[in-house]
Amino acid sequence: MSRHWAAAIPILCVVLVALLVPVLPLADPLHIDVARQLAASSAAHLLGQDEYGRDVLSRLLWGARTTLAVSIAASLLACIGGVVLGLVGGTLRGVTELLTVRSMDVILCFPPLLLALLVVTLVGPGASTLIPVLAVLYLPGFTRVVYAGVLSLRTADFVEAVRVLGGGPLRIMLRTILPNIAGPIMVQLSLATASAIVLESGLSFLGLGVVPPAASWGLMIGAARATMVQAPLLLLWPCLALVFTIFAMNLLCDAVRDAMEPRTQTPRRLRDRLLPGLFRPSPAQLLQIEDLTVEIVAPSGPIRPVRGVSVSVAPGETLAVVGESGSGKSLTGLAAIGLLPDIARIAEGDVSLAGQDIRRATPNALRRLRGAAVGMVFQDALGSLNPVHTIGAQIMEAIAAHRRLPGTAARREAVRLLEEVGIADPQRRLSAYPHELSGGMRQRAMIAMAIANDPRLLIADEPTTALDVTIQAQVLELLARLRRDRGMALLFITHNLPVVAEIADRVAVMYAGAIVEEGPAADVLDRPLHPYTRALLESVPGLLGRLPEPIGGTVPMPNALPPGCLFAPRCGYAEAACDTAPLPLVTARPRHRTSCRRWKEVA
Ligand code: SF4
């Protein structure tokens, strides 16, 4: 038996006793025997008799039943209410958030005990009053735990991955986010139950809880206080029961926390996603981005991390978008499928994906598009896969988002997909959780999910960055094979130029939110026409057959761009004219464009 389960034994014993009380051979807890008031223990009354001659053991065990019933019922009610309010408020935000989550702050303004006293005094004592009163008291705690969990997960990679696959808000709430915050909710449930036991006993002690002559630990303690000189043990038994139960609940809390923690670690938040767009309109383009500008509202005012990006991807083509961190690569990729984070928006330009205008598409239309016409693979496969579902369940969910397949057929399809992406023993791997797979296998599983509905375009955002060199090569080979076998187009976002050389048909180089060079991969990599591209190539160890040279300086921040050429502060070719207005992309060679005014010298 695991350590976690062992910790649950004490509280399970208490609950078991409370459940079995009606069938145990106990004296009637309400039977009064005035002649034997405060009698000591005997064979018939093991713990003695109270001030009315009632059996103390019987009242103690029946009291456990009352106390636990009130506490557990109140905690469960609060839990259900809090989960609904927290999920809805955290997911829908806006006015809904105000009405659901912020309204809980009003309840939190009142000290819990005083609020309970006030309500019970006004409404009257009794278990039927205590349960809703305690539930309201614990409702804000659950709501805030769930709300915080939703906020921390709503932009997690694996949630984004479900969105990419076309999952709707309800599915994301219930199947993706809720299982991942089950741990904190369970811990909150055990804490609330322990607290409710204390509060119920306290109110009963004050005469505002369970109504006499019903048995309750609080009532027993209150009554024993008056006779503590003559019969001190009458005070001891209910206190011991209370202490033991609270201790057992605390053990359960710790065990729940420990058991759930490994599966509920907050996944890494989405990396900065910056990605630019590409160019030239053509009716044959699968993805067409024109003059895309993405705006982010920052505390210091709006900034534009992507500006005037125009790119396109034709069916079956591989376009690599390269650049340093902060160049706008990933943000452009997210804009392409309508998945910009809440703080960002498309300020200008148009995005057309598989003929669908992304800016004007309804949420339902976008969901139908994602996962079906376009799939996406992220860098962090561990963060992108849901840690509480098996690989098989996640692939089958991806299939179910767009296709109606019976369970066995979906399972067969999941096995086939795992085979296609090169995972050995796919039947067995279906039952594996993400943490049980190696990094390479996780990335293969992510790719299997992304291609589950045969998309025409796959967007791969730094898919090999987190892998070692050998596995990188295998994943690249897999992507190239899938593209070839399925006739899929590939938008490959990376900062890794050697990878680009292996996989891309065309390359777009992004710098500080704009495209600075674009053309056929062989041309751009062998005969670059922009000093930035050249510098990127020279910074790669061994690529040009000489020692690497790091690029001096840093990418300018979007709110502090230089007035002329964006690369001027770092450029060895810079001249005075470069500090005037930036140049648009010009066609220097057939299908090869650059924004450098000195491209002839660079070439
Ligand atoms: S325009 Fe001038 S500063 Fe900019 S890359 Fe070309 S040479 Fe360098």
Side-chain angles (χ1 to χ4, degrees):
M1 179 181 292
S2 79
R3 182 171 58 86
H4 304 311
W5 282 109
I9 290 175
I11 193 64
L12 286 178
C13 290
V14 176
V15 172
L16 193 64
V17 168
L19 288 173
L20 294 178
V21 160
V23 297
L24 292 178
L26 295 169
D28 181 353
L30 304 182
H31 176 70
I32 295 174
D33 186 353
V34 180
R36 291 187 56 82
Q37 286 179 335
L38 305 179
S41 68
S42 62
H45 305 283
L46 290 178
L47 298 184
Q49 290 167 270
D50 68 6
E51 72 278 12
Y52 293 112
R54 295 172 298 196
D55 183 64
V56 173
L57 177 62
S58 176
R59 289 186 65 75
L60 196 67
L61 299 187
W62 277 96
R65 189 177 172 87
T66 307
T67 301
L68 287 180
V70 169
S71 309
I72 292 173
S75 306
L76 282 177
L77 266 181
C79 179
I80 294 167
V83 166
V84 172
L85 292 178
L87 276 178
V88 171
T91 306
L92 300 184
R93 312 293 299 270
V95 178
T96 312
E97 179 188 23
L98 194 73
L99 293 175
T100 53
V101 182
R102 301 298 169 209
S103 62
M104 294 297 106
D105 296 344
V106 177
I107 299 176
L108 287 174
C109 290
F110 296 94
L113 188 57
L114 284 184
L115 186 60
L117 281 172
L118 180 68
V119 176
V120 173
T121 305
L122 290 175
V123 181
S128 57
T129 306
L130 272 185
I131 291 173
V133 168
L134 293 180
V136 170
L137 286 181
Y138 296 118
L139 183 63
F142 284 100
T143 305
R144 290 166 78 100
V145 163
V146 175
Y147 176 67
V150 173
L151 289 191
S152 70
L153 288 176
R154 62 199 300 271
T155 54
D157 282 3
F158 66 83
V159 177
E160 292 288 320
V162 175
R163 276 197 198 101
V164 168
L165 291 167
L170 194 61
R171 169 180 289 199
I172 289 173
M173 266 194 277
L174 300 182
R175 288 198 42 84
T176 307
I177 293 180
L178 188 56
N180 281 283
I181 52 174
I185 293 173
M186 293 307 294
V187 171
Q188 183 68 18
L189 183 61
S190 51
L191 285 171
T193 306
S195 174
I197 290 171
V198 176
L199 209 49
E200 183 278 326
S201 299
L203 289 170
S204 297
F205 174 83
L206 296 172
L208 296 170
V210 177
V211 180
S216 148
W217 292 343
L219 280 177
M220 290 178 77
I221 293 171
R225 196 175 56 129
T227 59
M228 62 188 295
V229 176
Q230 304 97 306
L233 287 181
L234 290 186
L235 193 58
L236 180 66
W237 302 127
C239 287
L240 277 181
L242 203 52
V243 168
F244 178 78
T245 305
I246 299 297
F247 176 70
M249 282 304 302
N250 283 344
L251 275 182
L252 182 68
C253 292
D254 289 347
V256 169
R257 182 203 60 209
D258 293 346
M260 306 300 277
E261 198 168 45
R263 293 168 67 191
T264 54
Q265 293 164 356
T266 302
R268 272 180 34 195
R269 295 187 71 81
L270 282 180
R271 307 178 317 283
D272 289 342
R273 287 184 171 150
L274 317 175
L275 170 331
L278 311 188
F279 80 80
R280 199 163 0 207
S282 153
Q285 302 305 334
L286 192 53
L287 171 65
Q288 188 170 303
I289 300 175
E290 287 184 78
D291 289 326
L292 173 70
T293 294
V294 175
E295 187 171 84
I296 290 178
V297 179
S300 56
I303 56 172
R304 297 190 157 189
V306 174
R307 297 173 314 286
V309 165
S310 297
V311 285
S312 60
V313 183
E317 179 185 44
T318 297
L319 171 71
V321 180
V322 299
E324 295 167 279
S325 295
S327 60
K329 306 185 299 293
S330 296
L331 209 49
T332 306
L334 291 177
I337 53 173
L339 269 182
L340 285 172
D342 289 345
I343 57 167
R345 69 181 186 95
I346 296 178
E348 292 167 18
D350 290 303
V351 179
S352 168
L353 178 60
Q356 182 79 249
D357 182 342
I358 293 293
R359 290 191 72 178
R360 288 161 193 83
T362 62
N364 278 340
L366 285 176
R367 275 198 291 278
R368 283 196 296 273
L369 204 61
R370 298 171 191 147
V374 58
M376 191 154 187
V377 179
F378 299 109
Q379 173 186 339
D380 180 10
L382 184 59
S384 302
L385 291 166
N386 193 324
V388 299
H389 292 317
T390 62
I391 295 297
Q394 296 187 60
I395 296 177
M396 285 188 270
E397 186 176 0
I399 295 169
H402 295 282
R403 288 190 276 167
R404 289 182 187 278
L405 283 184
T408 50
R411 190 177 171 82
R412 270 199 308 276
E413 178 68 358
V415 171
R416 189 191 66 72
L417 285 164
L418 287 181
E419 270 174 356
E420 186 174 358
V421 297
I423 291 185
D425 198 359
Q427 286 282 4
R428 189 163 65 86
R429 298 299 182 193
L430 276 188
S431 311
Y433 286 92
H435 70 273
E436 296 173 317
L437 301 183
S438 67
M441 276 206 280
R442 280 196 291 267
Q443 196 56 286
R444 286 175 189 270
M446 271 301 298
I447 293 171
M449 288 174 65
I451 62 170
N453 294 298
D454 203 14
R456 296 162 63 195
L457 171 69
L458 183 66
I459 300 179
D461 186 355
E462 306 260 16
T464 61
T465 304
L467 306 173
D468 66 44
V469 177
T470 312
I471 306 299
Q472 274 188 18
Q474 292 173 2
V475 170
L476 280 180
E477 199 180 303
L478 169 64
L479 288 172
R481 176 170 59 78
L482 289 175
R483 179 204 142 182
R484 198 174 52 243
D485 294 350
R486 289 172 167 255
M488 218 171 37
L490 186 58
L491 176 59
F492 196 85
I493 298 165
T494 184
H495 65 274
N496 190 332
L497 279 176
V499 163
V500 170
E502 290 185 27
I503 200 166
D505 299 316
R506 285 192 302 125
V507 176
V509 181
M510 283 199 74
Y511 182 76
I515 292 179
V516 295
E517 183 167 4
E518 188 271 336
D523 274 6
V524 172
L525 299 177
D526 293 342
R527 296 183 298 159
L529 296 179
H530 196 284
Y532 178 58
T533 312
R534 178 173 286 279
L536 279 179
L537 290 165
E538 289 173 350
S539 68
V540 179
L543 192 63
L544 300 181
R546 56 175 186 256
L547 287 176
E549 288 181 28
I551 311 174
T554 55
V555 180
M557 299 299 290
N559 57 353
L561 296 174
C565 171
L566 300 174
F567 191 58
R570 309 169 74 185
C571 180
Y573 293 83
E575 57 186 12
C578 299
D579 291 330
T580 55
L583 269 189
L585 284 168
V586 294
T587 303
R589 296 194 190 116
R591 302 177 60 228
H592 190 165
R593 303 181 303 161
T594 175
S595 67
C596 177
R597 68 176 65 245
R598 302 191 65 188
W599 64 267
K600 287 178 183 159
E601 289 93 322
V602 177

